[in-house]
Amino acid sequence: MNPKILRISLIAALAGFLFGFDTVVISGAEKKLQALWETSDAFHGTVVIGMALFGTVIGALFGGIPTNKIGRKKTLFWIGVLYTLSALGSALADDPVSFGIFRFLGGLGIGASTVAAPTYISEIAPAKQRGRLVGLYQFNIVFGILIAFFSNYLLNGIGDNDWRWMVGVEAIPAAIYTLFALGLPKSPRWLLTRGAQEEAAVILKRIGSELTVDRLRQDMARSASSGGKQEHIFMGKYRFPLALAFLIALFNQFSGINAFLYYAPRIFEEAGLGENTALLSSIGIGFTNLVFTLLGIYLIDRLGRRQLMYIGSVGYIISLGLVAAAFILEWSGIMVPVFLFVFIAAHAIGQGAVIWVFISEIFPNHLRGSGQSFGTSVHWILAWLIPSSIPVLFSWVGPGPVFAFFAFMMVLQLLFVHFMMPETKGISLEALSEKLSGGKK
């Protein structure tokens, strides 16, 4: 693998580390904050906790605009600035509203990073290694989650204001990432969409790419229509890649993955387990997620995206079906946690490894930022809506039927993979654009 391209991809993928860290770090502070500010459950959930997730939705919805307008590199830099300001502001906040506003800024960074980082890496990476390199973003998300759990554990109890250190420590990796982002080269493909051929040629040579600017320009010209910049992703010719992005994002969340991660202790308590569930759900789940994410990244350019989705779908169906049966039939003991660990493994090797790679591949160069924004927006809106309904659903119908519904949705995902999802392994972005535009597989 080209060491320069690997280094560039790693730096861009660090946006994923901050994504994972920022998402989880609040878990160690949120109970302290509710007690400190004496807020109601509704206010605490919607402002102190929910503002970050709302920011994520907004960042994903509109992240394609700066990604296309000012470029992938500059967008990644400003994402780092948002993370840094969010961490510092949250640590210094003295009231819940100010805290929620600064957490909202971090959410904007998360949402925008799911657009800009995979887009940038997919355009830098060689076709045969694109899956592994874009997969570094997902690996960094999982790694950031683990480090956040560990950081919270170390900082817990160091003083009355330990929560400030918990949320503020993120400013250190955020500032480092922001400085690193300044040194990233611009995307050659983005430069060519802006007519900057000489600069694109210099960058391709500097990073040791196997492509020349003439070859890349010819490929892009073949895949683009004469409409060019006047086109948008909702045109009829892009119906198929739009449907692919929508469905893979929809099934990602209807697996129940975020619902489980947010409510793991509650789910384990429903299964009859005791006080050790917090450790089991954070460290154990985080470690399982990390191991199988690494396996997925290793396999994604070897087996392909569809094969990993087949494996993940079957694992989802079996594990979710067993979890549903355990609740409905009132199985006790360690069975539910074991089934849920299989569920996490199935997610990590399938949807977790594939989603950001796949969405970043299926749209043409001049619409990739918009397409990535669409797919990630579907993901984050559902990630907001589905977990918020879990407490109500658990009390209304119980965990068993909820997990049975998730298992049924994964049967539909398996059908989607078999009948609709194309394989994108080892194919250039321009060739994929030609292949998928107009609904052709």
Side-chain angles (χ1 to χ4, degrees):
M1 185 177 291
N2 183 318
K4 291 181 180 178
I5 292 178
L6 176 60
R7 178 179 57 82
I8 291 166
S9 300
L10 278 170
I11 292 173
L14 287 176
F17 175 87
L18 296 170
F19 166 175
F21 194 99
D22 191 86
T23 300
V24 167
V25 74
I26 190 64
S27 67
E30 58 97 3
K31 287 186 178 179
K32 302 172 189 286
L33 293 175
Q34 186 171 17
L36 174 66
W37 289 323
E38 299 178 345
T39 53
S40 66
D41 288 343
F43 186 89
H44 181 69
T46 56
V47 177
V48 177
I49 305 300
M51 284 297 286
L53 195 50
F54 180 62
T56 301
V57 173
I58 300 301
L61 278 170
F62 296 102
I65 296 175
T67 300
N68 285 333
K69 294 292 185 183
I70 66 174
R72 288 63 160 134
K73 171 188 173 175
K74 288 183 179 179
T75 302
L76 290 171
F77 167 77
W78 285 109
I79 286 169
V81 172
L82 286 173
Y83 278 129
T84 306
L85 290 176
S86 174
L88 292 174
S90 300
L92 297 172
D94 287 321
D95 63 89
V97 174
S98 298
F99 184 86
I101 290 172
F102 282 110
R103 288 287 296 166
F104 174 81
L105 293 180
L108 288 177
I110 291 175
S113 80
T114 59
V115 177
T119 296
Y120 176 81
I121 299 171
S122 72
E123 293 181 346
I124 289 286
K128 61 184 179 181
Q129 297 161 344
R130 190 172 58 239
R132 276 175 286 170
L133 290 174
V134 180
L136 290 173
Y137 180 74
Q138 175 66 18
F139 167 78
N140 272 279
I141 294 172
V142 176
F143 186 53
I145 289 171
L146 268 181
I147 297 300
F149 280 132
F150 187 61
S151 173
N152 284 345
Y153 174 77
L154 291 178
L155 294 172
N156 185 46
I158 64 172
D160 292 338
N161 289 319
D162 57 353
W163 66 269
R164 295 187 186 275
W165 291 99
M166 287 181 181
V167 298
V169 73
E170 183 188 352
I172 298 173
I176 293 172
Y177 165 75
T178 305
L179 292 175
F180 280 167
L182 285 172
L184 289 172
K186 294 178 182 178
S187 164
R189 284 181 166 91
W190 178 80
L191 286 170
L192 286 178
T193 65
R194 292 296 185 266
Q197 297 179 24
E198 292 184 7
E199 188 176 358
V202 170
I203 290 174
L204 286 170
K205 184 176 181 180
R206 178 153 58 99
I207 66 176
S209 174
E210 60 192 25
L211 292 172
T212 64
V213 72
D214 289 336
R215 167 70 183 279
L216 190 55
R217 187 178 57 186
Q218 290 169 8
D219 289 346
M220 290 174 64
R222 266 202 320 271
S223 66
S225 74
S226 58
K229 295 178 182 179
Q230 286 72 46
E231 291 190 329
H232 55 82
I233 59 172
F234 298 104
M235 295 175 68
K237 65 185 295 185
Y238 300 120
R239 188 184 304 118
F240 186 57
L242 198 70
L244 292 173
F246 175 82
L247 288 171
I248 197 168
L250 180 141
F251 286 126
N252 181 282
Q253 286 304 301
F254 272 105
S255 70
I257 181 62
N258 273 22
F260 169 62
L261 291 176
Y262 292 168
Y263 297 106
R266 182 192 296 256
I267 293 168
F268 287 139
E269 187 177 337
E270 292 273 359
L273 297 186
E275 297 179 357
N276 290 328
T277 56
L279 179 63
L280 186 66
S281 63
S282 60
I283 305 300
I285 288 169
F287 181 75
T288 302
N289 204 0
L290 182 67
V291 169
F292 282 89
T293 295
L294 281 170
L295 181 59
I297 292 171
Y298 174 77
L299 293 174
I300 193 167
D301 284 323
R302 291 171 169 82
L303 298 183
R305 289 60 158 152
R306 287 186 82 221
Q307 292 303 314
L308 291 189
M309 288 291 288
Y310 272 124
I311 295 169
S313 297
V314 172
Y316 274 144
I317 294 166
I318 293 172
S319 58
L320 288 168
L322 288 171
V323 170
F327 278 113
I328 293 171
L329 301 176
E330 298 182 355
W331 297 344
S332 59
I334 199 68
M335 299 306 293
V336 170
V338 169
F339 299 153
L340 287 170
F341 273 60
V342 175
F343 166 71
I344 288 292
H347 172 79
I349 201 171
Q351 272 273 12
V354 171
I355 180 171
W356 307 120
V357 176
F358 187 73
I359 295 176
S360 73
E361 294 176 320
I362 57 179
F363 291 96
N365 292 292
H366 62 293
L367 296 175
R368 185 164 296 113
S370 301
Q372 186 81 12
S373 181
F374 171 79
T376 56
S377 297
V378 173
H379 172 277
W380 284 116
I381 290 170
L382 292 174
W384 184 18
L385 294 175
I386 294 174
S388 66
S389 66
I390 289 298
V392 175
L393 290 172
F394 275 14
S395 62
W396 181 34
V397 299
V402 173
F403 281 106
F405 173 74
F406 289 148
F408 169 72
M409 291 301 294
M410 293 302 94
V411 173
L412 298 184
Q413 175 178 272
L414 184 61
L415 295 175
F416 158 72
V417 173
H418 184 72
F419 291 107
M420 189 173 178
M421 182 179 178
E423 181 55 72
T424 59
K425 178 188 73 169
I427 306 173
S428 75
L429 295 176
E430 290 71 36
L432 280 171
S433 175
E434 286 188 272
K435 183 179 180 182
L436 301 179
S437 294
K440 295 173 290 185
K441 293 169 68 176

